[in-house]
Amino acid sequence: MPSAVIATATVRQQLLFLYLTHPNPTATTIAWSLFDGTGAAQRMSGDADAAPYDSVLEAMKDGWRVMQVAQQQPAYPGMEHRTAYLPFEFILERLVEMSDE
């Protein structure tokens, strides 16, 4: 009996962190990080001049799923103009099917 070669698929996760100007998913992206579990892209912070998506909504239309939505926090009195971490973070995920041939 001849043996058949069966191609199987492996799924890998990609994570995209988008930081926006405010907590609305249509807001403009001001910073981002991409982590590619497929190994296809070796990215690092600051390696591109333009964000991969202008907004979370654009990424969703391209197949990214939102895992975490940014919470809107009120500014404490006297802290309105202080710099700190970027508060409006969205975490998105995409599952990519890879062939194991």
Side-chain angles (χ1 to χ4, degrees), residues 66-83:
V66 177
M67 294 175 48
Q68 177 179 309
V69 177
Q71 295 181 355
Q72 186 167 9
Q73 300 291 330
Y76 295 106
M79 300 295 287
E80 297 89 350
H81 301 288
R82 296 263 179 147
T83 57

Side-chain angles (χ1 to χ4, degrees), residues 30-101:
I30 56 172
W32 64 93
S33 296
L34 174 64
F35 300 93
D36 190 352
T38 68
Q42 298 297 323
R43 309 285 310 254
M44 61 185 268
S45 182
D47 67 355
D49 290 333
Y53 298 98
D54 289 335
S55 69
V56 169
L57 186 59
E58 254 190 39
M60 291 170 60
K61 290 177 181 178
D62 198 29
W64 289 89
R65 301 183 317 170
V66 177
M67 294 175 48
Q68 177 179 309
V69 177
Q71 295 181 355
Q72 186 167 9
Q73 300 291 330
Y76 295 106
M79 300 295 287
E80 297 89 350
H81 301 288
R82 296 263 179 147
T83 57
Y85 65 92
L86 298 170
F88 306 122
E89 174 186 71
F90 286 77
I91 301 173
L92 298 98
E93 124 181 292
R94 179 166 62 183
L95 298 176
V96 178
E97 195 171 287
M98 302 177 66
S99 178
D100 290 341
E101 294 184 59

